[in-house]
């Protein structure tokens, strides 16, 4: 019988391969994205010191209040705008995008494009 590997294990392997290629630093931190079945999370991380500089998710009250659903493309786009606004407020203009092993389509793509339109460059 052929044993099929789970999607979460495949994503974890992809994410570790992506993380081996780049990391965030003080001048260009890493924008890490995670997507669960119900919510999305985005954080900007400085890997040299291991600190999260800015974070946003669809669990936060101010973000959740402006959303009809927390797990669709519109929610991802709004989260991209929120994280970009917070990053620009702290003085971060350039980031490295870490898609977290997820395929660059749908919600991940919507978040990235919204963050770019809001002023982040990557």
């Amino acid at each position: 019988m052929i044993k099929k590997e789970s999607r979460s294990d495949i994503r974890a392997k992809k994410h570790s391969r992506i993380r081996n290629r780049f990391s965030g630093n003080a001048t260009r931190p890493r924008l890490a994205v995670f997507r669960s079945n119900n919510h999305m999370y985005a954080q900007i991380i400085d890997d040299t010191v291991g600190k999260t500089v800015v974070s946003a998710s669809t669990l936060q009250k101010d973000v959740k209040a402006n959303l009809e659903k927390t797990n669709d493309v519109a929610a991802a786009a709004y989260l991209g705008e929120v994280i970009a606004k917070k990053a620009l407020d702290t003085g971060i203009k350039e980031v490295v995008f870490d898609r977290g092993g997820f395929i660059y389509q749908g919600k991940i793509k919507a978040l990235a494009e919204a963050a770019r339109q809001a002023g982040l460059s990557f």
Side-chain angles (χ1 to χ4, degrees), residues 17-33:
R17 283 195 304 259
I18 290 169
R19 287 287 290 120
N20 284 333
R21 273 187 256 144
F22 61 81
S23 66
N25 54 30
T27 58
R28 196 165 176 203
R30 176 171 56 102
L31 172 59
V33 177

Side-chain angles (χ1 to χ4, degrees), residues 16-83:
S16 65
R17 283 195 304 259
I18 290 169
R19 287 287 290 120
N20 284 333
R21 273 187 256 144
F22 61 81
S23 66
N25 54 30
T27 58
R28 196 165 176 203
R30 176 171 56 102
L31 172 59
V33 177
F34 179 74
R35 165 178 76 79
S36 70
N37 287 337
N38 296 325
H39 296 283
M40 285 197 72
Y41 310 86
Q43 41 183 345
I44 296 180
I45 304 166
D46 182 2
D47 289 318
T48 55
V49 292
K51 295 268 182 173
T52 299
V53 182
V54 178
S55 67
S57 74
T58 55
L59 280 172
Q60 294 173 332
K61 287 184 180 180
D62 56 338
V63 175
K64 199 174 193 178
N66 295 324
L67 300 174
E68 190 174 319
K69 292 175 69 178
T70 59
N71 63 347
D72 59 354
V73 176
Y78 183 71
L79 186 63
E81 293 173 16
V82 169
I83 194 76

